[in-house]
Amino acid sequence: MLELKVMKRNIYIIICAILLSMTSCDKDFLTVAPRDQISGESFFKTAKDAEQAVVGVYNTLIQDAHFTMIQKVLAQNTWSDDAVNVWLGSNYNNIADGSFNSSEGLLNSNWTSLYRNIRRTNVFLTNVAGIQMDERLKERYIAEVTFYRAYYY
């Protein structure tokens, strides 16, 4: 009697395994468009989209409300003997005198900002070619964004 119950259970398990193995997911099941952002392929359609992307590249020059990317680059001269750091108590003093360590977030945040901006310019340059728009305007946008890409490098 016990053997019969075990055998029945095994048969049910085998039948369930066979039935489950015959089902499959759609190939596109895991290919889902992100819902929280627009991809480069779906965004770059019109001249207005290109203009918005260029504005986004220019917007990266301002990292927060009081400190622009240009000011960061100029302040980085205080890491060498090219300039004197007058911001007492800032992380730049630690870097200038060699007392910074891995807990200083300044270096990491600068590199993160620069490479985020490089990515933004690369996305623009990759996708703008497919937009139907005035060629002179497109060339101007490409030149501006290429300049900022070099600047961020």
Side-chain angles (χ1 to χ4, degrees):
M1 190 68 159
L2 183 62
E3 290 176 14
L4 187 60
K5 284 184 178 181
V6 171
M7 196 161 78
K8 257 185 175 178
R9 185 181 57 130
N10 288 344
I11 290 173
Y12 287 138
I13 290 173
I14 291 171
I15 290 172
C16 287
I18 290 171
L19 289 175
L20 286 174
S21 68
M22 284 193 245
T23 63
S24 66
C25 296
D26 185 17
K27 288 183 180 182
D28 295 331
F29 179 72
L30 296 177
T31 310
V32 178
R35 295 181 181 162
D36 63 337
Q37 59 187 344
I38 300 173
S39 69
E41 296 80 26
S42 64
F43 175 73
F44 289 90
K45 302 288 184 199
T46 66
K48 186 71 172 168
D49 295 341
E51 179 184 7
Q52 288 178 348
V54 171
V55 169
V57 169
Y58 276 97
N59 189 39
T60 61
L61 292 172
I62 300 173
Q63 295 302 313
D64 57 47
H66 302 94
F67 206 52
T68 66
M69 179 60 83
I70 294 169
Q71 287 171 323
K72 282 185 179 182
V73 170
L74 294 175
Q76 288 171 354
N77 278 328
T78 64
W79 299 352
S80 67
D81 59 358
D82 292 339
V84 176
N85 186 4
V86 295
W87 298 330
L88 299 176
S90 73
N91 289 346
Y92 289 108
N93 289 328
N94 297 343
I95 294 170
D97 67 13
S99 64
F100 70 98
N101 57 34
S102 61
S103 67
E104 298 285 345
L106 183 64
L107 290 174
N108 187 33
S109 68
N110 281 349
W111 284 106
T112 301
S113 295
L114 289 170
Y115 279 98
R116 184 180 307 120
N117 298 341
I118 290 168
R119 180 188 180 282
R120 191 175 285 190
T121 60
N122 286 340
V123 168
F124 175 86
L125 293 171
T126 300
N127 293 296
V128 74
I131 298 177
Q132 296 295 325
M133 59 183 288
D134 178 40
E135 286 301 316
R136 289 188 61 187
L137 183 61
K138 185 189 293 189
E139 288 173 8
R140 190 185 96 198
Y141 285 166
I142 290 172
E144 290 174 12
V145 171
T146 302
F147 168 80
Y148 280 109
R149 180 176 177 232
Y151 172 77
Y152 293 134
Y153 269 111

